């Protein structure tokens, strides 16, 4: 049997380029992209997506929806890296470590929606704790995250690496209207009944994310504390490869969190910090926004889907 054809639609953006780099030397697939002159030809793009085995969409939301609408070949499977389908019930959420059996669902799926970068950290921290009853599903969750400027796509890279780089802002908080498109995704997959408050920011570094969630123990059930929260996360991720919960003795020695420490990998590190005097807990996730937060996750999902090709 010939190697499956994998078509990247949108291989010139930050996510698409990294997916291409991760796949271009593999011999178990036939990688296909469109020539520059064909990328905006809707007829040619429709032909390409219907001729592949698995399509990876690295497109703006509207273009991703349009690409899916052009599929008439029932054998075509899709990984969508945009946010167009992330809360749709007929798409499988592409976070293999999210819950037992999720990797199997992805492996057999026709339609997989890649998680957003920030939701990967937020859901990774919160869902096991909500599911175990350690955090109430109506807890007033607030999240703060700082991403590298590549999270803005080509515009962010151009601003910080182009001719005007010297005047680029070193740090900027955004989403001040509190209506960031990732909030519904986080709420849905973290099993929350209330919309979380999400405050993101960009820093003057290319890639990497640190995301934090503060918890007040007075709002949690009696007996819930830093060690019980840590133990729950450690059990949940004990058997997975790409998510590591730092041992408490290791996290207790940290004086700062470096968002770039996992750049170039598909890994995510989770930490639990706690202040017994004031009964506060801080959850933290670190990962590469172009790795586990985008391109690496897409390739991980592709590998799962290839097991059932």
């Amino acid at each position: 049997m010939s190697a499956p054809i994998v078509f990247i639609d949108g291989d010139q953006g930050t996510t698409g380029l990294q997916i291409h780099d991760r796949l271009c030397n593999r011999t178990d697939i036939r990688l296909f992209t469109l020539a520059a002159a064909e990328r905006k030809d809707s007829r040619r793009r429709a032909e390409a997506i219907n001729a592949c085995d698995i399509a990876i969409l690295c497109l703006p939301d509207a273009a991703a929806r349009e690409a899916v609408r052009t599929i008439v070949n029932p054998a075509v499977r899709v990984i969508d890296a945009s946010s167009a389908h992330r809360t749709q019930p007929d798409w499988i959420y592409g976070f293999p470590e999210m819950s037992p059996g999720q990797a199997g669902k992805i492996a057999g799926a026709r339609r997989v929606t890649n998680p957003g970068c920030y939701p990967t950290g937020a859901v990774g921290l919160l869902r096991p704790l909500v599911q175990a009853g350690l955090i109430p599903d109506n807890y007033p969750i607030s999240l703060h995250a700082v991403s590298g400027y590549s999270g803005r796509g080509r515009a962010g890279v151009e601003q910080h690496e182009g001719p005007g780089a010297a005047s680029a802002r070193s740090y900027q908080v955004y989403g001040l209207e509190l209506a960031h498109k990732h909030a519904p995704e986080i709420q849905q997959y973290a099993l929350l009944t209330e919309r979380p408050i999400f405050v993101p920011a960009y820093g003057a570094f290319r890639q990497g994310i640190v995301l934090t969630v503060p918890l007040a123990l007075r709002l949690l059930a009696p007996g819930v504390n830093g060690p019980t929260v840590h133990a729950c996360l450690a059990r949940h991720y004990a058997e997975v490869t790409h998510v590591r919960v730092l041992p408490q003795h290791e996290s207790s020695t940290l004086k700062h969190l470096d968002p770039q420490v996992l750049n170039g990998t598909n890994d995510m590190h989770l930490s639990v910090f706690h202040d017994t005097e004031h009964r506060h807990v801080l959850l933290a996730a670190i990962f590469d926004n172009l790795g586990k937060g985008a391109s690496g996750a897409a390739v991980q999902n592709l590998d799962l889907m290839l097991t059932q090709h």
Side-chain angles (χ1 to χ4, degrees), residues 166-295:
S167 61
R169 297 183 183 91
S170 60
Y171 183 86
Q172 53 187 313
V173 176
Y174 67 104
L176 302 182
E177 71 286 354
L178 301 179
H180 195 283
K181 67 179 181 179
H182 284 160
E185 178 185 349
I186 294 169
Q187 180 180 345
Q188 178 170 319
Y189 293 105
L191 306 177
L192 301 171
T193 59
E194 303 293 332
R195 183 185 178 98
I197 298 174
F198 175 45
V199 183
Y202 289 124
F205 53 96
R206 196 176 205 278
Q207 60 199 80
I209 283 179
V210 59
L211 178 145
T212 55
V213 185
L215 299 173
L217 293 181
R218 62 183 173 80
L219 300 178
L220 304 182
V224 177
N225 53 33
T228 59
V229 167
H230 180 274
C232 178
L233 291 173
R235 283 194 302 271
H236 184 85
Y237 296 108
E239 303 299 326
V240 305
T241 300
H242 292 294
V243 181
R244 176 176 181 251
V245 180
L246 269 62
Q248 288 197 287
H249 72 269
E250 188 174 335
S251 58
S252 67
T253 65
L254 295 175
K255 302 303 180 185
H256 66 273
L257 295 173
D258 180 359
Q260 303 178 83
V261 71
L262 293 175
N263 282 0
T265 76
N266 190 45
D267 296 335
M268 180 164 66
H269 286 178
L270 307 181
S271 300
V272 178
F273 305 94
H274 58 103
D275 176 356
T276 55
E277 179 183 356
H278 300 99
R279 305 191 72 236
H280 291 158
V281 166
L282 183 69
L283 311 176
I286 293 177
F287 54 103
D288 183 350
N289 62 292
L290 295 180
K292 188 62 172 166
S295 307

Side-chain angles (χ1 to χ4, degrees), residues 69-132:
R69 283 195 291 267
T70 68
I71 298 174
V72 295
N73 179 355
V76 174
R77 305 169 74 190
V78 179
I79 299 170
D80 183 9
S82 82
S83 63
H85 300 101
R86 287 184 187 147
T87 57
Q88 297 300 308
D90 51 343
W91 285 67
I92 298 298
Y93 196 56
F95 187 0
E97 300 88 358
M98 181 177 74
S99 56
Q102 192 68 16
K105 292 178 182 178
I106 295 167
R110 313 304 300 177
R111 301 288 183 266
V112 173
T113 176
N114 232 40
C117 55
Y118 295 126
T120 297
V123 174
L125 287 167
L126 292 171
R127 184 182 176 108
L129 302 174
V130 174
Q131 203 156 30

